[in-house]
Amino acid sequence: MDNNCVPATQCGCTYEGRYIPAGEEFWADQNCGRRCKCVAGSRRVECKDKGCGMGQQCKVVDGIRQCQAVSHSTCQATGDPHYKTFDKKRFDFQGTCVYQLVALCSKNPDLVPFEVLVQNDHRGSKVCGCYDNGRSYKVKFSTSVFAKRPVYI
């Protein structure tokens, strides 16, 4: 066993007999009504009344209690080029610029910001340009693969 001390900023907290690492947040009740955090360096747990947002429910997923979306939806970009929106509307769009396919538009700090940009190439191209947070990805497809199934990024 190591007898060295750790810096105070790394000391965790104890909450109802459970050790909570410094900086970690957790739900203190079964209904996601009270959100708590172990304040780094203080060994104190601070809690605030907070519940799940609209369209969410409190659930245990992979052993962790969290607010989960009640439903989900999918958008899709396929072919030369065909788009389907989250509300199932279909568009055929022939432009050749970079377009935002989907992005987070909420300021909620509990959500991870993301953006997926797509680029239409000239008709007949078998290269799909995909962009995520400034990084560019090009994926080459054969016509048979491209036509038979969607590609998930």
Side-chain angles (χ1 to χ4, degrees), residues 68-84:
Q68 285 288 130
V70 175
S71 65
H72 69 279
S73 189
T74 303
C75 69
Q76 192 175 39
T78 60
D80 63 348
H82 309 292
Y83 296 95
K84 184 165 66 171

Side-chain angles (χ1 to χ4, degrees), residues 57-132:
Q57 65 183 8
C58 186
K59 291 175 79 172
V60 176
V61 178
D62 296 328
I64 299 171
R65 184 168 309 283
Q66 58 189 331
C67 294
Q68 285 288 130
V70 175
S71 65
H72 69 279
S73 189
T74 303
C75 69
Q76 192 175 39
T78 60
D80 63 348
H82 309 292
Y83 296 95
K84 184 165 66 171
T85 62
F86 288 109
D87 58 359
K88 310 290 184 239
K89 292 182 180 170
R90 295 178 181 274
F91 295 92
D92 295 323
F93 194 73
Q94 300 299 326
T96 57
C97 293
V98 175
Y99 302 97
Q100 183 182 66
L101 179 64
V102 63
L104 180 67
C105 60
S106 172
K107 301 285 186 212
N108 183 338
D110 295 333
L111 300 175
V112 178
F114 74 97
E115 178 181 47
V116 176
L117 302 174
V118 294
Q119 179 176 358
N120 291 346
D121 286 331
H122 65 85
R123 197 174 186 125
S125 172
K126 295 180 180 132
V127 176
C128 170
C130 304
Y131 303 85
D132 175 27

Side-chain angles (χ1 to χ4, degrees), residues 10-46:
Q10 293 179 10
C11 290
C13 307
T14 302
Y15 183 82
E16 295 183 356
R18 291 185 348 230
Y19 174 75
I20 309 295
E24 186 167 307
E25 292 188 29
F26 60 96
W27 292 104
D29 64 342
Q30 301 292 315
N31 300 317
C32 299
R34 192 155 176 79
R35 188 79 173 158
C36 300
K37 181 178 183 175
C38 174
V39 180
S42 73
R43 302 189 75 183
R44 275 189 357 261
V45 173
E46 292 181 356

